[in-house]
Amino acid sequence: MGFGETKSSPGYGNPPWIFKGSALYQLHLVKAETVRAFIPKELRLVEAFGYTLGGFFLANYDDSPAGVFDELVVIAGIVWNPPTSCAWAARVLVNSEEACHHGRKEVGLPSQVARFSKVVLILPDSLITPVPRQRKYKFGGFLSMIGVGTTICHSKDCMDVQVTEVVGPASSDLCNIKLMTDVPTPKFNKWMGPSITMSLPSFSGQTEYNPNLLKYSCRLACRVRAVRPAKVSGPSPLKKERSHDSESRGFTAEEVVDNARNLSISVMLSKPILALEFNFLEMQVEAPIILSNNTTSSLPAA
């Protein structure tokens, strides 16, 4: 079938690449018409009643080939890969130059450098009280892994994560993610859910940094539990999409960037349907393979 492997990044060493930490995986209903323009023509979008399944993967890695860093993967939708399906990432934000370079060149991801600004709040009843960022916490779990937790069992944790893209001296807010969780009891480990192993296959590539159409897999081992969906807000106002007449005349480089950013924001602001918290996460990422023309031509036509 004609597969070719990509070369690994020297700083990352040889694959598979191992990432350890915690994450929130949130699934959203996303309008298919919004996503379809960003999916390669070789691939067919999985959709029903005008919607596909997108969302985001917000992770904090405390051990990885690039060291400690945060990551936000905006998942535009799901595409067919018979007999299963794969995710397509609209944008990947990381606060690590090395992770950004590796994602672009080796994995074919639309990676961008970003700032992750975190503000921790305690919400007992309806009162909001700021909590110092440097405070130490007892409990594990996703919020503890990224620096938040509490010993007050009757309150709620709340953390605002502001994600801002950074391109040279310029910056642009992408979204604000409000994470909330109820703190059940001091026996926190009992509430982290069962241990599972799962695989998340994905397509990538066809970017300015890696023009090939790629496929790679992430194998996850973690403790997982359902949590309340995070509340997401975006910058306002968004730039309007171009009309069909203007599209026929082509996009400027700035408009390409704006449209990709607007797609990411649209996905983040779409309707959430499920949120899963991954604790004690160990993610193994295999080297991507290059899909040949024979492979892509065998996929269902859009």
Side-chain angles (χ1 to χ4, degrees), residues 100-218:
C100 180
H101 174 78
H102 175 80
R104 286 174 174 178
K105 302 293 289 186
E106 311 301 341
V107 193
L109 293 171
S111 298
Q112 299 289 336
V113 175
R115 291 194 302 268
F116 288 71
S117 304
K118 303 169 186 177
V119 178
V120 185
L121 304 172
I122 295 294
L123 285 75
D125 300 322
S126 60
L127 181 63
I128 300 177
T129 306
V131 177
R133 179 66 180 82
Q134 66 272 17
R135 178 179 170 184
K136 301 295 184 180
Y137 297 95
K138 295 181 179 180
F139 301 127
F142 174 68
L143 296 179
S144 292
M145 296 288 285
I146 55 180
V148 65
T150 181
T151 58
I152 304 174
C153 298
H154 64 273
S155 69
K156 296 176 181 178
D157 284 339
C158 173
M159 180 169 70
D160 285 335
V161 181
Q162 181 69 45
V163 183
T164 304
E165 284 192 29
V166 180
V167 181
S171 62
S172 177
D173 290 340
L174 183 80
C175 64
N176 179 275
I177 305 172
K178 186 183 293 294
L179 303 168
M180 294 189 65
T181 183
D182 295 320
V183 182
T185 69
K187 301 290 185 179
F188 194 79
N189 285 348
K190 293 183 178 180
W191 295 84
M192 287 187 179
S195 297
I196 67 164
T197 300
M198 61 187 295
S199 180
L200 297 177
S202 300
F203 284 124
S204 62
Q206 294 199 349
T207 68
E208 62 176 307
Y209 303 100
N210 194 324
N212 299 303
L213 179 61
L214 308 174
K215 181 183 177 183
Y216 68 99
S217 64
C218 301

Side-chain angles (χ1 to χ4, degrees), residues 46-94:
V46 178
E47 59 180 291
F49 306 105
Y51 289 87
T52 186
L53 196 62
F56 65 89
F57 183 81
L58 176 64
N60 172 261
Y61 304 115
D62 53 23
D63 185 13
S64 81
V68 177
F69 72 95
D70 296 298
E71 178 181 53
L72 173 64
V73 181
V74 182
I75 303 168
I78 305 297
V79 294
W80 286 113
N81 180 38
T84 59
S85 58
C86 290
W88 184 267
R91 214 163 189 78
V92 177
L93 291 306
V94 291

Side-chain angles (χ1 to χ4, degrees), residues 27-48:
L27 300 177
H28 288 213
L29 287 177
V30 185
K31 289 184 178 180
E33 64 179 1
T34 301
V35 174
R36 195 177 290 112
F38 294 86
I39 301 296
K41 295 179 179 179
E42 302 95 318
L43 305 177
R44 180 184 174 187
L45 190 66
V46 178
E47 59 180 291

Side-chain angles (χ1 to χ4, degrees), residues 8 20 169 216-217 250 270:
S8 62
K20 297 180 181 180
Y216 68 99
S217 64
S270 58

